Each structure stands twice: as C-alpha cells, then as structure tokens.
Amino acid sequence: MRHAAALVVGAVFGFTLSWSGMTDPDVLRDGLLFRDAYLMLFFASALATAFVGLRLLKVLRARTLLTGEPVAWTTVKPEQRHVVGSVLFGVGWAVADVCPGPIAAQLGQGVPWALATLAGLVLGLLAFSRRSAAVAG
C-alpha cells in the first residue's frame, strides 16, 4: 500500500513540476534572479496551501492515511546546521539551475543535464554520509 501511495504521489509531483515549468532552467534562473515573479508566486502558493491545509487537518484531528497517526508536528529553533545547509542548498540550486526535486521529472523528459545534477546530488549525499560517519565514530 505504501509503495503504491508513494508511486502515485511521486507521479503527481513530477507531473506538476513538469506542467508548471519547474523543470525548465530558464524559469528557475529568471525566478532566482528576480526577473520573473512566477517562481516566487509558485512557492508562495504552495506554502500558503500547505500552511492552511495542515492546520485544518490538525484542527479536524485528521489521521494520516497510511499509518493512522494523528496529523501533528513539532517545531525546533533554527540551528547553525540549518542555516549552513540552506545556504549550501541555495548555492547548489543557483549553480545547477535546478533543485533536487525535478531531477526525476527532467530525466523522464529526456533532459540530458539532469544526469550531471543527479551525479552532484549523489556525490553530495556520499560526502555528507562519510562526514557524518567520521564525526559519529
């Protein structure tokens, strides 16, 4: 059941990214350079929808579909690691003209440079994993 749900959510997410133009580096670049408000408006609408929707689910005491747990969350005070991570993410996004989300959609569309972005993502995850293991052990 979980795999089927993940497949459906992933397909809808990929379709939405493709349909909205979020897999197009020109759209992303123009948004990041503040030449076009489309990207920021897209993000703002997603944030507003999630903000209102999650609060409604919490007020209605809804339960998650797959596990039956109550919809709930906790907040934490931002730490240095959050700031550093967000800066690295932003720099990587600006350099690659794509965030990790659309990589699969770009590969499905046959966009060749998505392979370079995927390689960078994998190398970054491997570097993080090795650093984490060195710090922990």
Side-chain angles (χ1 to χ4, degrees), residues 25-104:
D26 293 329
V27 170
L28 297 173
R29 186 179 311 106
D30 287 345
L32 292 171
L33 293 173
F34 300 108
R35 288 188 220 157
D36 187 0
Y38 179 73
L39 178 70
M40 298 307 164
L41 291 172
F42 187 84
F43 287 158
S45 66
L47 185 62
T49 301
F51 183 85
V52 172
L54 284 171
R55 272 144 188 84
L56 281 173
L57 289 173
K58 192 172 182 179
V59 166
L60 296 172
R61 295 189 175 137
R63 295 190 165 272
T64 62
L65 293 176
L66 295 179
T67 64
E69 298 173 16
V71 173
W73 60 87
T74 58
T75 57
V76 296
K77 182 180 176 183
E79 299 173 10
Q80 181 180 357
R81 64 190 178 100
H82 299 128
V83 175
V84 171
S86 64
V87 168
L88 286 172
F89 181 86
V91 168
W93 191 10
V95 168
D97 280 334
V98 67
C99 79
I103 292 173

